Amino acid sequence: MRCYLQALLLCLVFTFFSLLYVFNQLASTLEDGDDWGLKEQGISDRRSHDSGHLFRKRPGLAGLRDREDGFDRERSASAVKEQRDERSHLAVVACGSRLEETLTMLKSAVLLSRKPLHFYIFAEDDLHERFRNALDSWPRTVQTKFNFTIYPITFPKENANEWKKLFKPCASQRLFLPLILKDVDSLLYVDTDIIFLQPVEDIWGLLSQFNSSHLAAMAPEHEEPRIGWYNRFARHPYYGKTGINSGVMLMNMTRLREKSFKNDMTTVALKWEELLMPLLQKYKLNITWGDQDLLNIIFHQNPESLYVFPCQWNYRPDHCIYGSNCQQADEDGVFILHGNRGVYHDDKQPAFRAVYEAIQKYPFGDNMETSLLQPLEATLQTTTNTYCGRTSHLFTRKLKQSIMSVQQDVTRRR
């Protein structure tokens, strides 16, 4: 009798597990069917933890290929979007007497770029009409290469005066561009005292070199620590060995808006809009260069978020005033000239001033080789009494290539 009971018990256990297996398979089939239905309707499955996108589940290598194909489709859609908008998006902030300097910067961008541009000009109210009139006066053939939008200077109302007076007038506006230009994905911010020596789209192309953590790109403040400012004098944290310079700043603003930043004020990571004012309140008595110092503090705490490009993309008097100390420029030439410290408007660095005035005075429509490059090269020969003048051949190396490329494009179109 005991043998019969044991056999019956084993049969019941076997039947129970068989039924459990059948129900499990049925539930799995229904779940896959539901997932596919969601996919067909374009609704993402909140249960998925893979990528935020739903891919049809299949076992083994086939399922892996499904997932990879899904990512490829996502990348392809992103590439198509980028191809539709070939423009480089360039922002500048102009206050006080910076109108002419800003127009010269924009002119250098338009002259050398082969792809369309969009300018975001943030300026004091009394400069708006002057900017509009100046840009509208450029030849029609030039105007077809760019669009522009003019914005007022805008700071958070509760701290507007404090932000506006930080360092130079309106300079800290750049910190708020991701919050103002909410529909702009990526942006190149430049100071007004920038001169492009090669097309804007070349630095714009550095966005494709960002890894998944990068959300901004800047150049080091110095290449040579012995003459570095931050490593010798700063009273606050700064990025890397010598800090970073924010005069040329490439941003993926979508990532910047989404990221939660580590900081030394709280253990809680903060969004960009939550971070700025507390950071200023903590360090305002210790910072010298205003918003640039705040950016150094932020990326000191979040170094993985910064892509560092070489000094040739932000070449300043510091790179030649004591002798050449920008190795990449020595090898490939200067890509972007940054005339900080007012050197475009005084006699301290005549090589920098010569480049600025050559762009400023060049008549639209003239041959750039004979009306811009050759006169500039002749003027630079007279500046060799200064260290920067002795390296001024680096200023024209890339400019010459850029001019030749633009003129070849013009010839082909004819």
Side-chain angles (χ1 to χ4, degrees), residues 91-120:
V92 64
V93 178
C95 289
S97 60
R98 297 301 182 103
L99 173 71
E100 191 60 38
E101 192 173 83
T102 305
L103 289 171
T104 303
M105 179 276 292
L106 298 175
K107 185 178 182 180
S108 72
V110 170
L111 286 176
L112 301 180
S113 292
R114 299 181 301 274
K115 292 186 177 180
L117 300 159
H118 191 106
F119 300 140
Y120 301 83

Side-chain angles (χ1 to χ4, degrees), residues 130-141:
R130 296 169 67 187
F131 267 115
R132 191 172 292 107
N133 290 341
L135 294 173
D136 287 344
S137 72
W138 288 2
R140 183 61 56 185
T141 53

Side-chain angles (χ1 to χ4, degrees), residues 75-324:
R75 285 195 292 267
S76 297
S78 177
V80 169
K81 182 178 179 181
E82 289 179 4
Q83 288 175 359
R84 283 200 302 266
D85 185 6
E86 293 186 335
R87 297 176 299 172
S88 300
H89 298 257
L90 177 66
V92 64
V93 178
C95 289
S97 60
R98 297 301 182 103
L99 173 71
E100 191 60 38
E101 192 173 83
T102 305
L103 289 171
T104 303
M105 179 276 292
L106 298 175
K107 185 178 182 180
S108 72
V110 170
L111 286 176
L112 301 180
S113 292
R114 299 181 301 274
K115 292 186 177 180
L117 300 159
H118 191 106
F119 300 140
Y120 301 83
I121 302 169
F122 288 78
E124 292 173 311
D125 293 347
D126 62 336
L127 294 178
H128 287 201
E129 186 175 358
R130 296 169 67 187
F131 267 115
R132 191 172 292 107
N133 290 341
L135 294 173
D136 287 344
S137 72
W138 288 2
R140 183 61 56 185
T141 53
V142 175
Q143 291 187 42
T144 59
K145 297 176 66 175
F146 70 93
N147 295 321
F148 69 91
T149 312
I150 301 177
Y151 297 84
I153 300 298
T154 306
F155 293 112
K157 292 181 179 179
E158 60 273 19
N159 309 106
N161 289 333
E162 192 167 4
W163 283 113
K164 188 168 184 178
K165 294 176 181 178
L166 184 65
F167 191 44
K168 295 179 180 179
C170 307
S172 58
Q173 178 73 84
R174 84 184 79 182
L175 296 175
F176 299 95
L177 298 183
L179 308 179
I180 298 171
L181 303 175
K182 294 180 180 179
D183 295 327
V184 179
D185 175 69
S186 297
L187 191 71
L188 173 64
Y189 166 86
V190 296
D191 286 346
T192 60
D193 50 7
I194 291 296
I195 295 292
F196 290 95
L197 302 178
Q198 72 173 64
V200 175
E201 58 263 26
D202 289 349
I203 187 170
W204 188 256
L206 294 181
L207 286 167
S208 65
Q209 298 185 26
F210 281 22
N211 66 25
S212 59
S213 298
H214 293 144
L215 52 82
M218 285 177 273
E221 174 73 9
H222 289 283
E223 304 299 302
E224 175 51 65
R226 287 177 297 177
I227 62 172
W229 191 91
Y230 281 106
N231 55 292
R232 292 189 297 158
F233 305 117
R235 296 178 295 159
H236 58 78
Y238 56 88
Y239 178 88
K241 293 181 179 180
T242 60
I244 46 174
N245 184 280
S246 60
V248 179
M249 183 177 180
L250 186 63
M251 294 177 277
N252 182 320
M253 299 208 298
T254 299
R255 290 184 180 180
L256 195 149
R257 285 185 288 261
E258 292 174 350
K259 181 177 174 60
S260 296
F261 292 85
K262 299 186 292 292
N263 61 88
D264 59 2
M265 299 171 293
T266 173
T267 56
V268 178
L270 300 175
K271 295 292 187 180
W272 189 258
E273 64 271 21
E274 301 169 329
L275 178 65
L276 297 177
M277 195 61 210
L279 203 63
L280 176 61
Q281 293 297 336
K282 178 172 181 177
Y283 286 105
K284 64 181 178 180
L285 298 180
N286 295 325
I287 59 178
T288 302
W289 308 111
D291 53 301
Q292 178 173 289
D293 289 349
L294 295 181
L295 290 168
N296 266 278
I297 296 167
I298 291 170
F299 288 108
H300 170 84
Q301 300 288 342
N302 301 268
E304 74 286 350
S305 297
L306 186 68
Y307 177 91
V308 180
F309 49 66
C311 47
Q312 63 196 144
W313 294 102
N314 186 353
Y315 191 93
R316 296 170 290 115
D318 303 77
H319 292 116
C320 56
I321 195 171
Y322 305 114
S324 183

Side-chain angles (χ1 to χ4, degrees), residues 27 29-39 41 47 54:
T29 302
L30 290 173
E31 180 181 355
D32 281 350
D34 288 343
D35 285 352
W36 179 255
L38 290 172
K39 179 171 179 280
Q41 297 174 49
R47 292 168 295 183
L54 182 65

